């Protein structure tokens, strides 16, 4: 099986970007910048072009900052090491944003990217980017799930043999039993699906079919076929998704909206 980590990372980025808090924050920032029109945009652009200009910069700036933060920041670090990572990520983001703003200002305002004002733009952008990176880091710490090694109570795992106790992958109904799939194997348990789901603890996931429950962090990819879909799990066979549960996996960021 191919390495699912890049797909999982992409899904996590999409989940973060489409999170209601993120969308609300980006919309609010874009609206405020449009109304106050900093850097002369209030007088040089009418309302709709100004709204488009600041929306593009806000969204692209956040995406660039988040991707750089994802690549550079390490939650396991603390103290000066983590502060150094924030400064590095902020500087990288500032350089990228300076290039983006210069490239956008050239066709919009006719400003030459390498003019005398470029140094002022670069310095201002770097300072703002470091501040924004610190905010992204704080925001990500609150949105991100607990570390994988943090103790979590999953009562369902207590029903499994010790050698099969691992992160939950899926739960499927078979006659009067449920097949519990973990990263370490599978086990049949005499239990109703509804009762099994109540014992998954804080494991992120949902019932996606009348006979199946899937852990979202164990989905390698998802495909759609008409009004149904299928989840390719990191271990074992695919899990079908019924039509009524399509909105559930869309909300989890597993399928495009």
């Amino acid at each position: 099986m191919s390495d699912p980590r890049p797909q999982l990372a992409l899904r996590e980025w999409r989940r973060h970007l489409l999170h209601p808090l993120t969308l609300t924050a980006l919309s609010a920032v874009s609206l405020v910048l449009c109304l106050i029109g900093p850097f002369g945009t209030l007088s040089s652009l009418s309302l709709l072009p100004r709204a488009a200009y600041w929306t593009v910069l806000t969204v692209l700036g956040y995406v660039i900052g988040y991707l750089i933060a994802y690549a550079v920041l390490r939650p396991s670090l603390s103290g000066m090491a983590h502060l150094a990572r924030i400064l590095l990520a902020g500087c990288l983001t500032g350089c990228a944003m300076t290039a983006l703003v210069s490239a956008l200002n050239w066709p919009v305002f006719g400003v030459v990217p390498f003019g005398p004002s470029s140094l002022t733009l670069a310095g201002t952008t770097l300072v703002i980017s470091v501040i924004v990176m610190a905010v992204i880091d704080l925001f990500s710490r609150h949105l991100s799930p607990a570390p994988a090694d943090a103790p979590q109570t999953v009562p369902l795992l207590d029903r499994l043999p010790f050698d099969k106790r691992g992160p939950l992958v899926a739960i499927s109904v078979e006659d009067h039993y449920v097949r519990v799939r973990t990263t370490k194997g599978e086990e049949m348990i005499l239990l109703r699906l509804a009762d099994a789901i109540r014992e998954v603890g804080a494991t992120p996931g949902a019932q996606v079919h009348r006979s199946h429950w899937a852990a979202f962090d164990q989905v390698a990819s998802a495909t759609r076929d008409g009004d149904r879909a299928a989840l390719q799990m990191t271990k074992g066979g695919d899990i079908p998704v019924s039509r009524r549960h399509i909105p559930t996996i869309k909300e989890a960021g597993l399928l495009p909206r």
Side-chain angles (χ1 to χ4, degrees):
M1 181 180 294
S2 59
D3 187 355
R5 286 176 295 180
Q7 294 170 321
L8 295 176
L10 179 61
R11 191 178 75 242
E12 174 63 20
W13 166 77
R14 186 169 58 189
R15 183 193 70 85
H16 185 97
L17 183 63
L18 297 179
H19 193 283
L21 288 177
T22 305
L23 294 177
T24 301
L26 291 177
S27 299
V29 171
S30 300
L31 178 61
V32 170
L33 290 174
C34 174
L35 293 177
I36 65 177
F39 302 118
T41 56
L42 184 62
S43 58
S44 58
L45 292 175
S46 59
L47 180 61
L48 291 181
R50 188 167 70 248
Y53 176 87
W54 285 113
T55 299
V56 169
L57 277 185
T58 301
V59 174
L60 289 182
Y62 190 85
V63 170
I64 291 172
Y66 181 82
L67 293 178
I68 291 177
Y70 187 91
V72 174
L73 297 182
R74 294 293 182 270
S76 58
L77 296 177
S78 59
M80 294 303 297
H82 189 67
L83 178 60
R85 289 275 186 168
I86 291 178
L87 291 175
L88 173 60
C91 289
L92 292 175
T93 303
C95 292
M97 286 303 300
T98 299
L100 174 64
V101 173
S102 298
L104 187 60
N105 285 353
W106 195 358
V108 174
F109 301 112
V111 177
V112 179
F114 303 104
S117 61
S118 60
L119 290 179
T120 302
L121 172 64
T124 304
T125 305
L126 282 173
V127 173
I128 294 175
S129 296
V130 171
I131 296 173
V132 171
M133 190 57 58
V135 174
I136 289 178
D137 175 66
L138 180 63
F139 190 49
S140 298
R141 286 171 179 262
H142 284 285
L143 278 184
S144 299
D149 57 353
Q152 293 186 2
T153 301
V154 183
L156 186 60
L157 295 181
D158 294 336
R159 299 176 180 269
L160 305 182
F162 284 104
D163 62 334
K164 295 182 180 179
R165 296 183 184 182
L168 288 173
V169 175
I171 307 171
S172 301
V173 174
E174 293 188 19
D175 294 327
H176 297 293
Y177 292 80
V178 291
R179 181 182 295 275
V180 180
R181 187 193 313 175
T182 73
T183 57
K184 295 185 178 181
E186 299 180 355
E187 185 72 16
M188 298 288 287
I189 300 176
L190 181 60
L191 194 66
R192 296 187 307 169
L193 179 62
D195 293 332
I197 292 175
R198 279 194 286 268
E199 296 188 6
V200 301
T203 305
Q207 184 172 355
V208 296
H209 187 278
R210 65 180 181 179
S211 301
H212 300 277
W213 176 94
F216 292 154
D217 58 356
Q218 296 296 326
V219 177
S221 62
T223 57
R224 184 166 185 177
D225 183 11
D227 58 358
R228 286 176 170 76
L231 303 178
Q232 290 75 50
M233 311 304 293
T234 57
K235 186 176 181 64
D238 296 351
I239 296 295
V241 181
S242 60
R243 177 173 56 186
R244 62 173 293 201
H245 293 291
I246 291 292
T248 300
I249 64 173
K250 283 185 176 180
E251 183 66 27
L254 302 176
L255 278 178
R257 292 180 176 272

